[in-house]
Amino acid sequence: MTDNPAASRADRDRKARQAFRYIATHALDRVANQINGSLEQLRASAANDPVTERQSALLDQTVAAASQLLRLCDDVVILLDAASGALVAHPERIPLTTLVREATAQAKAPEWSQSARPVVPDLSHALPTLQCDLKLTRRALAALIENALRFSPPDAPVTVAARKRGAWAIIRVHDGGAGVATELAEVMFAPLWSGQGRLNDSGIGMGVGLGLAVARVSIEAQGGRLTLEHAGGPGATFTIELPIAQPGAASSG
């Protein structure tokens, strides 16, 4: 019996994904939680004991880094599940206003606290209720906001606008950067793309290259779409399309 190289390679890939998933969900996650817990205790004790301004700043930066590590673990799991076809959405009825506000707050993690780039939610329209997975959608929208913060000049606001269009909710995240080269409109959604090629990058540093990939698979797992609407000119506009909850629609467990 002759071995099938393609089947053997697929089996190795599957086992590698399982191994990385286990590492992310158990080993790394456990270590990150331990670090985070210890840092929070240290921060609490620092409130009662005199520390220098430099020590306080270093502690805040380390707490932010530990939180980012926990989120990276979650992102890796999402990408691995998407690659293996195991990413399953659990839709529930979520007011669009709630989603935008929570995602905006999540994007303003400590690592962004020194940024002067404001986030401006445009919630002036009457907004519907979505039928979506809150965790996946909130993470996707937060990733888009963080990407916009990274590439906007310090004085340029990031706009998050939501509208209803037929049976769909449309969420647009627009940054004030120089834009994205047209040929990168799809490449930038690949894992590990970290921003090379953005026009006249004025951002505060490259990310690890998972945010946009996680955002896309998180939206597509729910039957939605995530696209770069505006490429090749000033600023970039990312658009999420998700279905609106229909009357009587129930949440899945």
Side-chain angles (χ1 to χ4, degrees):
M1 180 177 180
T2 303
D3 290 338
N4 185 328
S8 298
R9 185 166 55 252
D11 185 59
R12 288 197 301 271
D13 290 346
R14 178 182 59 81
K15 290 179 178 178
R17 284 195 297 267
Q18 290 175 341
F20 279 120
R21 191 184 194 284
Y22 177 84
I23 291 170
T25 56
H26 293 81
L28 289 177
D29 188 74
R30 182 175 66 250
V31 171
N33 272 297
Q34 290 173 343
I35 294 172
N36 203 45
S38 298
L39 287 170
E40 289 296 347
Q41 292 180 40
L42 184 58
R43 175 185 263 176
S45 64
N48 301 317
D49 298 326
V51 295
T52 67
E53 184 176 335
R54 173 63 174 166
Q55 289 172 328
S56 178
L58 287 172
L59 181 56
D60 288 342
Q61 290 172 16
T62 309
V63 170
S67 298
Q68 185 180 23
L69 178 57
L70 283 169
R71 190 168 58 182
L72 283 173
C73 291
D74 289 340
D75 287 350
V76 168
V77 171
I78 289 174
L79 289 173
L80 289 172
D81 284 348
S84 64
L87 184 59
V88 178
H90 301 283
E92 54 184 315
R93 297 175 64 89
I94 303 295
L96 183 49
T97 301
T98 299
L99 171 67
V100 172
R101 286 175 175 164
E102 289 189 6
T104 301
Q106 180 173 309
K108 291 181 179 180
E111 59 264 33
W112 300 109
S113 60
Q114 300 304 313
S115 171
R117 300 158 177 79
V119 178
V120 182
D122 179 2
L123 304 177
S124 57
H125 292 242
L127 299 178
T129 295
L130 299 181
Q131 189 74 15
C132 70
D133 183 306
L134 176 59
K135 181 180 178 181
L136 289 177
T137 310
R138 184 172 55 204
R139 177 67 193 109
L141 183 52
L144 295 182
I145 294 171
E146 289 167 359
N147 181 74
L149 287 168
R150 182 173 290 114
F151 290 103
S152 290
D155 58 347
V158 169
T159 303
V160 183
R163 300 286 188 274
K164 176 183 177 181
R165 188 172 68 198
W168 295 84
I170 310 299
I171 309 170
R172 290 187 173 91
V173 178
H174 180 76
D175 66 53
V180 182
T182 304
E183 62 270 19
L184 296 177
E186 286 299 316
V187 175
M188 65 192 312
F189 289 104
L192 302 183
W193 186 86
S194 57
Q196 296 90 341
R198 284 210 60 164
L199 303 176
N200 189 26
D201 173 28
S202 57
I204 60 175
M206 299 301 176
V208 297
L210 297 183
L212 293 180
V214 168
R216 173 165 274 189
V217 300
S218 296
I219 296 302
E220 290 182 346
Q222 307 175 68
R225 291 203 314 155
L226 169 58
T227 56
L228 175 62
E229 182 179 299
H230 186 194
T237 302
F238 290 88
T239 301
I240 292 174
E241 299 176 57
L242 283 170
I244 292 173
Q246 299 303 311
S251 300
S252 68

